[in-house]
Amino acid sequence: MFAIFLTDGMDPFYQNIASFPTAIFTLVLGVTLLYWLVAVLGLVDIDILDFDIPDLDSDLDINPDSGLSNANVLSGLMLRFGLQGVPVTIIISFMALIGWLICYYLVHFSFAFIPEGILRYLAGLPILLGSIYGAAIITGQVIKPLRPLFQKATQETVKLLLGQTAIVRTSVVDNQFGEATLADGGAGLILKVRALGDAKFSQGDRIVLLEYDKDRNCYHVISEQEFTSPSPQ
């Protein structure tokens, strides 16, 4: 059944998926397929790419002078498109597939009227941006039914993690920012954590998950030493 891929009639298909801008989505889609193959073998966790999403109780200031990192800005954009509530790897996978389909068909139907050369590269840029935008919007709608499933799984996981010791993985953990890793017998878990009060922790510090903040989707933590120290009489 794979003989069709060896016929001359498939040449335009190969040209489209290997040329700009579709080639970008083809590459990302190939990497995601490789990732899921490795994940099925149990070598990596499904949430390996999850990162800290800043709290957006107030408007997100993306001014370069505000001190926000690229990850902060990316997280804000993801929230605005509804790209939250499921592991980042799933979001990327859907966006890669949907963006690839959108880009492929836009190229297929539009490049027939555009001569080869620099004009195709110029036309490819808005097609690329439009495909990313369209993929983000559609992915945000597609993952909506998946969010309750992951929320339920999160609730069950929280019960098991409270009281466990984790290791700070970011340069600092305070009451606004931070991540920690927790050994789970596999590749390990990456968790959003927040210090209580004015406490601060540095990379490598041992902390204990004290309680889960559902609204901020993070764990409040204290130092392992404080957790194990006997209470004053």
Side-chain angles (χ1 to χ4, degrees), residues 61-101:
D61 181 12
I62 59 175
N63 188 299
D65 297 330
S66 65
L68 289 176
S69 66
N70 292 334
N72 295 133
V73 177
L74 177 60
S75 298
L77 292 174
M78 290 176 65
L79 287 171
R80 282 175 169 79
F81 281 105
L83 302 176
Q84 83 280 354
V86 302
V88 174
T89 48
I90 292 180
I91 295 173
I92 293 176
S93 299
F94 274 118
M95 285 196 62
L97 177 59
I98 296 172
W100 184 87
L101 291 171

Side-chain angles (χ1 to χ4, degrees), residues 222 225-233:
I222 61 175
Q225 181 179 4
E226 182 180 358
F227 181 78
T228 56
S229 297
S231 301
Q233 298 298 327

Side-chain angles (χ1 to χ4, degrees), residues 40-55:
V40 168
L41 298 177
L43 300 179
V44 296
D45 283 340
I46 192 175
D47 57 356
I48 190 174
L49 296 181
D50 281 2
F51 54 87
D52 193 30
I53 297 180
D55 305 311

Side-chain angles (χ1 to χ4, degrees), residues 12-180:
F13 171 78
Y14 290 126
Q15 291 175 0
N16 284 345
I17 66 174
S19 60
F20 181 81
T22 317
I24 296 177
F25 288 102
T26 302
L27 176 62
V28 176
L29 188 59
V31 172
T32 57
L33 290 175
L34 178 61
Y35 159 78
W36 285 113
L37 176 62
V38 175
V40 168
L41 298 177
L43 300 179
V44 296
D45 283 340
I46 192 175
D47 57 356
I48 190 174
L49 296 181
D50 281 2
F51 54 87
D52 193 30
I53 297 180
D55 305 311
L56 295 181
D57 295 332
S58 57
D59 293 336
L60 179 66
D61 181 12
I62 59 175
N63 188 299
D65 297 330
S66 65
L68 289 176
S69 66
N70 292 334
N72 295 133
V73 177
L74 177 60
S75 298
L77 292 174
M78 290 176 65
L79 287 171
R80 282 175 169 79
F81 281 105
L83 302 176
Q84 83 280 354
V86 302
V88 174
T89 48
I90 292 180
I91 295 173
I92 293 176
S93 299
F94 274 118
M95 285 196 62
L97 177 59
I98 296 172
W100 184 87
L101 291 171
I102 294 174
C103 191
Y104 174 83
Y105 283 105
L106 286 176
V107 168
H108 179 75
F109 290 110
S110 64
F111 275 23
F113 305 98
I114 302 175
E116 294 185 4
I118 189 65
L119 288 180
R120 288 196 174 182
Y121 284 97
L122 294 176
L125 185 58
I127 289 177
L128 173 64
L129 297 177
S131 298
I132 295 174
Y133 181 79
I137 293 177
I138 296 175
T139 299
Q141 298 301 313
V142 170
I143 65 175
K144 274 186 177 180
L146 301 179
R147 291 175 190 156
L149 300 178
F150 285 95
Q151 289 174 356
K152 182 178 180 180
T154 298
Q155 293 172 357
E156 295 176 352
T157 301
V158 166
K159 296 178 181 178
L160 298 174
L161 298 185
L162 293 181
Q164 299 293 319
T165 299
I167 307 297
V168 175
R169 71 185 296 264
T170 48
S171 60
V172 64
V173 167
D174 55 24
N175 57 12
Q176 295 294 327
F177 173 82
E179 290 182 347

Side-chain angles (χ1 to χ4, degrees), residues 172-203:
V172 64
V173 167
D174 55 24
N175 57 12
Q176 295 294 327
F177 173 82
E179 290 182 347
T181 57
L182 186 146
D184 63 346
L189 300 176
I190 299 177
L191 307 171
K192 291 175 59 177
V193 295
R194 300 290 184 268
L196 293 174
D198 295 328
K200 288 187 178 181
F201 304 102
S202 302
Q203 187 175 32

